[in-house]
Amino acid sequence: MSPETEKSLETKAKLLEGALRTLTEQGIAKTSARTVAAAAGVNQALVFYHFGSVDELLAAACRYGAEQAVGRYRERFDAVTSLSELLAVGREMHEAERDRGHVARLGQLLAGAQTHEALGPATAAGLDLWIVEIEKVLVRVLGGSPVGEFVDPAGLARAVAASFVGMELYEGVDAVGADSALDALDQLGVLVSALEELGPVAQRAVRHRLRRTARR
């Protein structure tokens, strides 16, 4: 297969951006080859030429949007040195992505995944990009913590990602409740930080107690 031309790549990028914009502004129910092409400023036949179907375009746009979003925060994740910092970055990220309309778009993708077969795996793959970054941070910041040996970073990374997804959607119906949930996560970060500041004897006591509890 010959490499794609610059014009072809440009058209595909326009379609991906157009699909994301249409999802955000009009919702999954009104996302079609016509509406996406109009948002992209191209002929709707190009949707099928480059992606085969609207569902495949949406799946590609989901991955494309997630890669862009994760890329905006990768350096921030790399600089995190504590759980409380990770939660602070998550809160800042939540507010910024909400203002960009990405929270609304995620809701549309999750709704669309129920009826559009290609969207389920694509949405999961997009979320996995976040999970990979979160897991790397958790491995780093919990490695020397008194609770580090009792935590599964991979599982916790998925729990954190799922919590933020749920809160993003919940915020649409109860903004105060979602804010309270974020405050509760902040308090968890403070608790872990306090444990990390304990002296060696106290930390050994905490580990001993946790091991005894884990064996029950």
Side-chain angles (χ1 to χ4, degrees), residues 10-23 25-26 32-47 50-51 57:
E10 181 182 348
T11 300
K12 289 178 74 172
K14 286 182 179 179
L15 285 167
L16 291 169
E17 294 285 355
L20 293 174
R21 190 159 59 251
T22 303
L23 275 172
E25 296 174 357
Q26 300 189 49
S32 64
R34 182 182 60 78
T35 56
V36 170
V42 301
N43 189 296
Q44 74 180 64
L46 293 173
V47 170
H50 287 289
F51 295 96
L57 168 58

Side-chain angles (χ1 to χ4, degrees), residues 86-147:
L86 174 61
L87 294 171
V89 171
R91 192 159 194 164
E92 175 188 325
M93 182 178 67
H94 165 75
E95 293 172 359
E97 296 304 299
R98 178 195 59 204
D99 292 344
R100 288 188 175 101
H102 295 175
V103 172
R105 187 170 74 208
L106 176 61
Q108 292 298 319
L109 288 169
L110 291 171
Q114 307 304 310
T115 53
H116 295 65
E117 186 175 346
L119 280 188
T123 304
L127 290 173
D128 277 344
L129 293 175
W130 291 106
I131 290 168
V132 166
E133 297 300 321
I134 295 169
E135 183 179 349
K136 286 193 296 186
V137 176
L138 291 173
V139 168
R140 185 172 67 250
V141 304
L142 294 178
S145 166
V147 299

